[in-house]
Amino acid sequence: MTESTYNLLVLVFPVLVPLTLAAITAVLWRAPAAQRAVSIIGLGVIVGVSGLLTMAVLQYDILAVEFGSWAVPFGISFVADRLAVALVMITAILALCVGIFSLRDMRQTHIRGGFYPLFFGMITGVNGAFLTGDIFNLYVWFEVMLITSLGLLVIGRTKAQIDGAIKYALLNLFGTVLFLMAVGLLYGATGTLAFADLARILPTLEPTPGLVATAILFLCAFGIKAGVFPLFFWLPASYHTAPFTISAIFAGLLTKVGVYAVFRVFTLLFAVEASGIREIVAVVAALTMVTGVFGAAVQWNIRRILSFHIISQIGYMLMGLAVATPLAIAGAIFYIVHHIIVKANLFLLAGAIRHASGTDDLKKSGGLLKSHPWLAVLFVIPALSLAGLPPLSGFWAKFLVVDASFKGDMAWLAAAALFTGLLTLYSMTKIWMEAFWKEPGIERSQPRKIPFAMTAPIAVLGAITLTIGFYAEPFVQFAEQASITLLEPDVYIAAIFGAEAQVGEATALRSEP
Amino acid sequence: MTFVYAATIAILAGAGIYMILAQNVVRIVMGVALLAASANVLIFLSGRLGSVSPPIIPEGTDVLAQTAANPLPQALVLTAIVIGFALTAFGVALVYKAYRSLGTLDASAMHDAEDMGSPFTPSQAKQ
Amino acid sequence: MFPNTLENAFLSGWLPGETVPTLLLIAFLGAALSFVALPRVGKAAGVVAAALPFTLFAAFLTYVPVLATGDGVPTIMQTVQWVPSLGINFVTRLDGFSLLFALMITGIGTLVALYAGAYYADKPAADRARFLSYILLFMAAMLGTVLSDNLIVMFVFWEMTSLISFLLIGFNSASKEARAAALQSLVITAGGGLALFGGLLITGMEAGTFSLRAITLEPSLIAESPWFYVIATLVLIGAFTKSAQFPFHFWLPNAMQAPTPASAYLHSATMVKLGIFLLARFDPILSTSDVIVMVMVGFGLTTMLVAAVMALRSEGLKAILAYSTVASLGLLVTLIGLQGPGSSVGIAGFILAHALYKAALFFCAGIVIHATGATRVRDVGALFTLLPLTAVSTILASLSMAGLPPFVGFIAKEYVFEAKLESSFAGIVTFVAVGVNSVLVAIAGIVALRPFFSQKSAFKGEPKHGEVWGMTAGPVVLASMGVFFGLFADIPQYFIVGPAAVALSGAPFYVSFEIWHGLTPMLALSVLVIAIGALMVWKWDAVQSAAKSLSFIDRFSVEKGYNATFQGLLSVARLSTQTLQNGQMRTYLVATIAVVTAAMGYALLVGAFGPGAAGFAFPSVEGDTIRPYLAMVSALVVAGALVAAVARSMIVSLVGIGLSGYGIAVIFMKNGAPDLALTQLSVETLFVVIVTAVLVKLPAVGDGLKTYSRFDIRPRDALLSTAFGAAIFLVVLSIAAKPFNPSITDYFAATSLTEAFGRNVVNVILVDFRALDTLGEIAVVAFAAIAAWAILSLSDGKGPADLDPAHDRSTRGVSSLIFSTTAQAFFILMIAISVVVLFRGHNEPGGGFIGGLIASAGFAVLALALGVNIAAQKLILHPVVWMGVGLVCAIVSGIPGAVLNESFLTHQWVDLNLGFMTLKLGTTYLFDIGVYLTVIGGVLAFLIRVQQQTGSPDAKPSDALPADEPAPNTNTQGASA
């Protein structure tokens, strides 16, 4: 096997390995113990292959593979640039951590309900969405994600889960149908589906009403998935009902795939500068931040607080797209990576808090600082990072997007972000005061010990947060380099078609900056 | 025919939306199915229509005739139909389960999820 | 992997010469270590902890001669790289002013650690250790703030001090008041911190650097920027919140919920001076504007006045001291506003003097409270015999605070008055200063005399202890320093105050800091102040009740305003959340759909009429003849959809949808898409079957279920639907109006047979050109079936949920011998047909998907005849397992290509010569078999479950899990067992 073969295969593994694991765990349907064993080994393998891909991308900047040896645009390709590979790597780490956490969190009935096949299916869909270079293929991975997440959401079959799943299902189904329509329209306008080809053809087209509307449909469809204002309703209606393991992986990954898709499509295919899209994105970003954090500020249930914070944080990421300078895009990329780790970790912590105190209702909890001082330390790390306090990862993320907003003449957006930060800190403080400081609550006066399988993943994710915070330079540089492929479609196109291929001359939706 | 098909797509979508706005969750799922059907026809139309001969290479020739229909949208629609079916079928199962465990099909009477840990008094049954 | 940064951080950074960053590192490492170490050292924790600040204090002392002797403004700048690509590095700046702070922080820190060790002697070791660790961590953060030259790094430490202050204020976390005070201080200081952050970012943007020194050396960079007033406002907010200036002052007295050692350290001696520190550092920029100067003076004076009045109204020992601190901070802010060398001497001198006496007074107050348990002035008295050393220290510190000679406080006050008289606001400033200083003198008198000498308000309880050396050491040392520096004023003048004042004013000048400089107006003012103060001590009770009678002040309480603002904000948040997330799915759907519709409408308008728009073009009707038959079919499709939408009966709606779906199949068929038509037909049938099976178990019509939305909103629904449909109509037409790019289709037409060896191009696309889509598609089918299988489980999670006959309550099937026999034959026939369809699909209509559906139909008939279990037994494997096997087949089919052609899913072909014919076999068949198996497994999983559910006679609502909250983790024992 030549070196390039190896690189190309490595590009396929992050999707193929979890899909194979899903198939194997389905074959082992009647043997839950075997499923568990396969899963833990498999999660390690996923981390390994993602690491290999990361190293390959760090070496070659951008990698592409064509499935079935059919050249793009006739076949489907996978493309890994720095953004994609960072997300694949984070997904793998997160999957491993959550997988370990699940050993103590998931019950037999969950395993029998297909937890492992669905879990791996979700990883497949997420990685497929990050890596694919084809818009219709992206739709397929979105659907894989949607159905597996639905299956995971209702895995406990409680009333709340079923009610939440109905809202989640119907609103997201609407979103994916919009996505499908947008793909069809885009195909009708361009005759092609590959990102690289679209990036070549779209600039040569006139911005007809249909094409502008297609762009807007993509924005809406991804906006629903990402949970932006005012399309986020499904998220706070459902996320808090799932088991903690599942909430954690949802919170970390699902909305971020929507954000990723917005970034991919609105840098490579459509330019945000055109047609008032930039203004729309800016206003949406601000309102997403503020309404999200408003929701969080009034909640008293840890999981509900965290669910609303997902929305609020998505607003920060969209800020980057609205400002659209290299610094802003880099900031948004940094933000996405940081937030995946932190938010998933907070949900795991909510699980640990629930395990220890018997409740995730803040009014009933308490006393954990005395009984679980280390849990308190582990909570403080992601909580303060989420609030953007220095010198944790969230501080750099916020620094980048807020600084970019000031520099990009969007001071009002920066102000909204800072205001949101204050309320974020407030709600994190609330959890601290009620669950840790207060006297032991009424639910369980003798807090329970937390098993190692729960604390270990929390500690690992906390360590990553600390590393990004204290040793930010390589991550900032990485984000800045990652923003290049987003800002310069030529790089992406050249990776597929070779260096001589260029973006079309005529300006359509992509106006000159 | 383009106008006719476009109108068909639009009315399918409109009817789907109208059903989605209903109270009964079974109707909502049906509405999603209609909307998905609308999207399928939309993709089909996007590849441009006009030919009646299927994209099958006849024995004795090596290439598809110019007059054959565009196969790519067909493949896309086929994928989309199957995916749409899988999801709506799951939606039906979910709605059925909801009826069994929540005792209602009325979307406005379903509030178990958001009552869970809600800081507000559970007055959400009213509209 | 990451260029050079490792070397940068760890090689160039920690060279031996860069000692200031090293000291900082030691401070943080020591603090971190203390969290682990202190719980293990028992009662000696205070002494052990004190070693860290003391070491650092000694180290900083070695810089004193260096900075006192240099030319110009002696400054030591040292750099350690951190995030160079953002211009953010650890740059330490040690000059006279930061050295003054560093010495205060470490020196008082040493005493606080000792004091806290003794203060917590009788508390649990864990609490004591945690408290001391917080103190050490705070000390490190403070050092970082004052030593940082990089604004962002300084902000990092700045926020850290706010956080640790939060932890310390709420240290007695069982107390609700303590928690509330901690939250209040955090919201105010961190909120101010965010304003400051904004200000610093804009500063950096305008100046092109985050170096505070570089920025203040070139004030015009910022002063002439259009952002100047924004920056100034934000920096002022940051400083005012931190230094408890009006209108943010109220958090500081509330922060007295903190244990006294923390109050002494953070809330009088160090942290609250950070705002002063920042203003002083920014002064070269801020003072370029008269407006800003007036703002500073105005807020400083207001703070002094408000704090003086509030101090007179207070009864608690610590509260009185806290208000006097607020007044002193107001004085310092005023001083910064005033210009002239006198003011920089005044600032430096007063910071030093204030730190010495106020920390000492807090220490003493703490001793009194700790020894007696009483907190109010009127509850203690005549303690001199019990606490003689404390009493002496209190008196010495009070005299310094009152500004009597020969104490350092006196000298500082002289320079303060000098600065005031020098300034252009002399009149009002001096007037206020005299009044407030008189109050300070009175307070000094009260806290010094009442607890120790007053017989009027004697302490009646049983004292817990007398002098404890660990606690007494601090006040004795600090009070003595106050005397010493006063008597030998040369020492602070030359070594401490002088360098600090020079560093502040930015240029060297002769600093005099002497106890006697003749009969000046300043001396006269001092005498006046002391006289008024003494009078107030004498008539204290009268003064206090007079102050308390000023009840109108309560009505203008800023704290109430803060509370109202914060509660108002939460109310807005509540309103926003209740409106948006109201629990009504209808609201969610209406909002989402309306937003999407409006967005499409906007896009159409922009595309048609916006700047540079292409305008709206309709597709040409030329050559696009209407085919009447298809037009009628389309009308049928539309009619079906409309019937479905408006029908009252669910069954009628379903029929409408089915009609519509079959019509679509005809449209596909008549437009050259037989595969599509077949698929649509079978899928539509399956959908109708499944929904029907479910519908019969659901309430149908007239069930009070409000099949429709309420009558009055139906027209609105119709309007929204119409708008959505209309938007889609226009979008589709606009897209269809442009010519199509057929290049990909042309490629498929040319290569389908020659390179992919299939005549049915659609199937070739599905299994070869775009096989990855199909792989994802069957994955969706499989996962949907798994999810449905789980959700429709009958066992409700209490045991084996699968095809266990004993557990299976499904129907027996139609018990007719003839039917069952024919059914078996029919089943075999269907399987055979499905296999044929599967294999011919590559060249003719058919393929794995349709084949799988036909096979499923065979099983369905069998199930109808013999019961689900028999049919399931014919499946041999569990349907989910079949799906797994199918997925494995599809994946495996791609592996030969990956190995041989270096690309996954590159299908391989071999010619198999069977003698009579040559079979062309390819891995595409394996792929299609995977599709076939997955579809069979998926569809059957659905059918079996639906059959089981709907067939079970006792199926009724409410047989789900009884409760929502069998916590996932309460059962972990069960799961792990």
Side-chain angles (χ1 to χ4, degrees), chain A residues 193-222:
Chain A
L193 296 163
F195 281 140
D197 204 28
L198 287 165
R200 279 199 308 187
I201 291 176
L202 274 172
T204 65
L205 299 181
E206 271 189 301
T208 60
L211 208 49
V212 179
T214 304
I216 290 280
L217 272 179
F218 276 118
L219 195 62
C220 292
F222 297 148

Side-chain angles (χ1 to χ4, degrees), chain B residues 44 54 56 74 77-79 81-82 85, chain C residues 661-687 760 762-763 766 833-834 836-838 840-841 844-854 857 935:
Chain B
F44 195 56
I56 293 175
Q74 294 189 20
V77 173
L78 215 150
T79 306
I81 289 176
V82 176
F85 163 70
Chain C
Y662 291 138
I664 291 171
V666 174
I667 292 180
F668 288 153
M669 193 72 209
K670 290 289 168 183
N671 278 292
D675 280 295
L676 215 44
L678 272 175
T679 312
Q680 171 74 19
L681 208 64
S682 44
V683 159
E684 199 64 38
T685 308
L686 264 177
F687 182 72
N760 182 354
V762 174
N763 183 275
L766 287 173
I833 292 175
S834 75
V836 172
V837 168
L838 159 68
R840 73 165 213 166
E844 289 164 76
F849 188 78
I850 297 166
L853 285 180
I854 294 172
V935 168

Side-chain angles (χ1 to χ4, degrees), chain C residues 912-961:
Chain C
L912 202 64
N913 199 336
L914 298 176
F916 60 96
M917 64 175 289
T918 307
L919 260 185
K920 205 165 175 60
L921 279 183
T923 47
T924 48
Y925 287 110
L926 185 57
F927 187 86
D928 232 2
I929 289 171
V931 174
Y932 175 84
L933 293 179
T934 313
V935 168
I936 292 179
V939 171
L940 287 178
F942 256 108
L943 288 179
I944 290 173
R945 268 303 197 233
V946 168
Q947 185 72 17
Q948 283 177 333
Q949 279 274 339
T950 56
S952 70
D954 54 355
K956 59 179 184 298
S958 84
D959 69 351
L961 284 183

Side-chain angles (χ1 to χ4, degrees), chain C residues 491-688:
Chain C
I491 294 172
Q493 173 190 334
Y494 187 70
F495 288 111
I496 301 173
V497 176
V502 168
L504 267 186
S505 65
F509 66 96
Y510 173 72
V511 178
S512 78
F513 192 71
E514 299 160 34
I515 197 152
W516 179 253
H517 31 131
L519 286 168
T520 56
M522 288 80 87
L523 189 63
L525 285 178
S526 288
V527 173
L528 178 66
V529 162
I530 291 161
I532 301 174
L535 194 69
M536 285 163 83
V537 174
W538 184 38
K539 291 282 175 201
W540 177 255
D541 289 336
V543 171
Q544 189 163 53
S545 63
K548 278 189 185 168
S549 69
L550 300 173
S551 58
F552 70 92
I553 290 176
D554 295 328
R555 268 182 287 138
F556 296 101
S557 151
V558 208
E559 186 171 3
K560 278 186 189 158
Y562 159 83
N563 287 335
T565 311
F566 198 74
Q567 290 308 321
L569 189 61
L570 287 184
S571 301
V572 173
R574 204 167 292 123
L575 187 70
S576 145
T577 309
Q578 268 178 314
T579 313
L580 287 170
Q581 200 69 33
N582 69 352
Q584 286 296 321
M585 181 138 87
R586 188 186 150 75
T587 315
Y588 303 162
L589 283 165
V590 168
T592 306
I593 292 167
V595 165
V596 172
T597 311
M600 276 198 289
Y602 168 81
L604 286 168
L605 286 176
V606 168
F609 308 112
F616 198 93
F618 285 102
S620 158
V621 287
E622 241 175 277
D624 185 21
T625 47
I626 301 270
R627 295 160 66 191
Y629 174 72
L630 278 177
M632 275 166 60
V633 175
S634 299
L636 184 77
V637 170
V638 164
L642 290 177
V643 164
V646 299
R648 282 197 162 275
S649 154
M650 210 88 82
I651 297 291
V652 175
S653 283
L654 186 61
V655 170
I657 286 177
L659 205 62
S660 186
Y662 291 138
I664 291 171
V666 174
I667 292 180
F668 288 153
M669 193 72 209
K670 290 289 168 183
N671 278 292
D675 280 295
L676 215 44
L678 272 175
T679 312
Q680 171 74 19
L681 208 64
S682 44
V683 159
E684 199 64 38
T685 308
L686 264 177
F687 182 72
V688 171

Side-chain angles (χ1 to χ4, degrees), chain A residues 5 16 19-20 23 26-27 29-30 58 66-70 73-76 78 104-109 113 117 121 134 136-137 140 144 147-148 151 156-160 166-167 170-171 174 178 181 185 187-193 201 206-210 212-213 216 224 230-233 236-237 275-276 280 291 294-295 298 351 354-355 369-370 384 389-391 395-396 399-400 402-403 406-407 411 418-419 422 425-426 429 432-433 437-439 448 470-471 473-474 476-477, chain C residues 1-3 5-6 82-86 88 127 130 152 155-156 159 163 166 170 173-174 179 183 186-187 190-191 194 197 201-202 205 227 566 569-570 572-574 576-577 580-581 583 585 588-589 591-593 595-596 599 602-604 607-608 614-616 728 731 734-735 738 740-741 744 747-748 755 768-770 772-773 775-776 780 783-784 787 789-791 793 796-797 802 878 880-881 884-885 887-888 891 898 902-906 961 964-969 971-973 975:
Chain A
T5 316
L16 211 54
L19 185 60
T20 309
V27 170
W29 184 250
R30 291 191 188 261
L58 285 174
E66 287 156 343
F67 282 88
S69 304
W70 301 109
F74 312 114
I76 296 170
F78 269 10
R104 295 308 297 270
D105 188 45
M106 300 307 283
R107 292 184 286 159
Q108 280 298 318
T109 154
D134 187 282
F136 188 82
N137 196 239
V140 173
V144 172
I147 187 63
T148 48
R157 280 171 287 147
T158 67
K159 285 185 177 188
I166 285 204
K167 282 154 190 158
L170 295 175
L171 286 158
F174 178 68
L178 289 184
M181 287 181 160
L185 293 166
Y187 172 69
T190 61
T192 189
L193 296 163
I201 291 176
E206 271 189 301
T208 60
V212 179
I216 290 280
I224 291 175
L231 307 167
F232 60 62
F233 310 105
S275 312
I280 295 175
T291 52
F294 273 171
V298 300
R354 165 71 171 272
H355 184 92
L369 180 61
K370 288 234 157 57
L384 295 184
L389 276 150
F395 172 70
W396 300 110
F399 176 93
L400 286 164
V402 173
D403 195 33
F406 279 124
K407 288 178 177 160
L418 292 174
F419 169 75
L422 182 62
L425 180 62
Y426 164 73
T429 312
W432 172 261
M433 294 201 303
W437 261 1
K438 205 171 64 186
E439 292 291 275
R448 253 199 314 178
F470 284 100
Y471 191 44
E473 174 68 15
V476 171
Q477 281 183 6
Chain C
M1 185 159 83
F2 302 116
T5 37
L6 254 175
W82 189 19
V83 191
S85 54
L86 298 177
I88 298 169
D127 282 359
R130 191 154 49 87
I152 301 302
F155 176 74
V156 170
E159 290 289 82
L163 269 182
F166 164 80
S173 56
R179 294 201 302 270
L183 178 63
L186 185 69
V187 168
L194 288 171
F197 185 51
L201 285 181
I202 304 175
M205 173 174 86
W227 288 93
F566 198 74
L569 189 61
L570 287 184
V572 173
R574 204 167 292 123
S576 145
T577 309
L580 287 170
Q581 200 69 33
M585 181 138 87
Y588 303 162
L589 283 165
T592 306
I593 292 167
V595 165
V596 172
Y602 168 81
L604 286 168
F616 198 93
I728 292 287
V731 174
S734 172
I735 293 289
K738 292 282 171 183
F740 183 68
N741 164 21
I744 296 178
Y747 178 86
F748 290 155
E755 291 184 36
D768 203 337
F769 289 115
R770 297 187 66 89
L772 193 64
D773 280 346
L775 189 58
V780 170
F783 294 131
W789 184 264
I791 199 180
S793 157
D796 293 333
D802 276 340
H878 192 287
V880 174
V881 176
V885 172
L887 280 176
V888 169
I891 294 167
E902 310 185 347
S903 173
F904 183 69
L905 282 174
T906 304
L961 284 183
D964 269 335
E965 284 300 290
N969 39 29
N971 279 36
T972 36
Q973 291 96 335

Side-chain angles (χ1 to χ4, degrees), chain C residues 746-771:
Chain C
D746 292 348
Y747 178 86
F748 290 155
T751 55
S752 175
L753 184 62
T754 53
E755 291 184 36
F757 312 113
R759 293 186 177 276
N760 182 354
V761 185
V762 174
N763 183 275
V764 172
I765 294 174
L766 287 173
V767 298
D768 203 337
F769 289 115
R770 297 187 66 89

Side-chain angles (χ1 to χ4, degrees), chain B residues 6-121:
Chain B
T8 309
I9 292 166
I11 295 172
L12 276 175
I17 294 289
Y18 187 79
M19 290 188 84
I20 286 175
L21 293 173
Q23 296 280 74
N24 187 315
V25 284
V26 180
R27 295 185 78 85
I28 301 181
V29 173
M30 290 180 177
V32 171
L34 272 184
L35 199 62
S38 159
N40 292 339
V41 182
L42 189 155
I43 299 175
F44 195 56
L45 179 64
S46 283
R48 306 301 193 274
L49 303 179
S51 171
V52 291
S53 63
I56 293 175
I57 303 172
E59 291 290 342
T61 48
D62 276 356
V63 292
L64 191 58
Q66 278 293 322
T67 52
N70 184 353
L72 179 54
Q74 294 189 20
L76 300 182
V77 173
L78 215 150
T79 306
I81 289 176
V82 176
I83 289 177
F85 163 70
L87 284 159
T88 42
F90 176 78
V92 172
L94 181 63
V95 161
Y96 177 75
K97 182 70 186 179
Y99 176 68
R100 293 278 296 259
S101 73
L102 308 177
T104 180
L105 289 173
D106 185 351
S108 65
M110 294 182 178
H111 41 77
D112 286 80
E114 296 208 52
D115 281 354
M116 182 178 155
S118 169
F120 309 121
T121 43

Side-chain angles (χ1 to χ4, degrees), chain A residues 320-342:
Chain A
L321 190 65
V323 177
T325 59
L327 182 67
I329 300 279
I333 292 170
F334 196 103
Y335 215 111
I336 295 171
V337 171
H338 134 79
H339 183 253
I340 290 175
I341 297 284
V342 161

